[in-house]
Amino acid sequence: LSSYQYASIGPLTRDFFDAMHEGPHADGTFVVAIVDSYGGAINRTGLDAATSFVHHGALLHVQVMAYLGDGTNTTTKSHAWRWALEVLRVLDDATVTQAGRRPSAYQNYPALQLPDANERYFGGNDGLLLSRLREVKRRVDPTGLFSFRQGI
């Protein structure tokens, strides 16, 4: 799962690390958070640009992952998924309360269980890109030949 952050991560640090600490710790299982800093050229392109990347203005991108060892039991798998959703909730809450934005995620890290996936991947704050992409999809693929579960 992934989340873009548009405000200082400082206020969420305690909640974030508490959530990370609660990750599954069974043999062969570990959790990871990758934090990428954003800025520079990415943020010089406005949302009105002809691009499918709507995360301009982000300060950080956080990707959380749980690696499960061979033969991981169902209880640990369930815990890993609950953990990932809790970390996502902490990040989403920070996005909404600190930056006043809707939660968003990187479309090249798809997660089938992600709530409102297309809005998170392509929605931005105004939803114009998602509307444009849906219109292109209707014109280019009217029969739905190129469809998958989180497709446009």
Side-chain angles (χ1 to χ4, degrees):
L1 298 175
S2 75
S3 176
Y4 284 91
Q5 297 299 300
Y6 296 86
S8 170
I9 198 168
L12 90 91
T13 303
R14 175 68 184 207
D15 291 341
F16 176 72
F17 283 106
D18 285 350
M20 287 297 296
H21 180 71
E22 295 301 318
H25 299 289
D27 287 342
T29 300
F30 61 96
V31 297
V32 175
I34 299 172
V35 180
D36 300 312
S37 63
Y38 275 55
I42 291 172
N43 291 338
R44 285 196 295 268
T45 303
L47 286 174
D48 57 343
T51 173
S52 62
F53 186 83
V54 297
H55 312 293
H56 307 289
L59 297 177
L60 301 169
H61 174 255
V62 181
Q63 182 182 6
V64 294
M65 297 172 281
Y67 290 90
L68 307 176
D70 291 338
T72 301
N73 65 45
T74 303
T75 301
T76 301
K77 288 178 185 177
S78 294
H79 179 205
W81 184 244
R82 284 191 313 274
W83 164 81
L85 290 175
E86 175 59 15
V87 173
L88 183 65
R89 184 200 60 76
V90 167
L91 294 168
D92 286 354
D93 287 353
T95 298
V96 172
T97 60
Q98 294 176 31
R101 295 180 64 115
R102 294 188 319 206
S104 59
Y106 185 45
Q107 61 268 30
N108 287 347
Y109 302 149
L112 294 178
Q113 302 86 344
L114 187 63
D116 306 321
N118 281 329
E119 286 77 13
R120 287 174 181 258
Y121 298 149
F122 304 110
N125 264 352
D126 57 14
L128 292 176
L129 175 63
L130 185 55
S131 296
R132 283 193 320 224
L133 290 171
R134 285 180 174 150
E135 178 56 33
V136 168
K137 170 73 172 171
R138 276 191 288 277
R139 284 187 280 132
V140 174
D141 187 21
T143 62
L145 177 64
F146 300 103
S147 295
F148 64 99
R149 208 163 136 190
Q150 286 187 344
I152 302 281

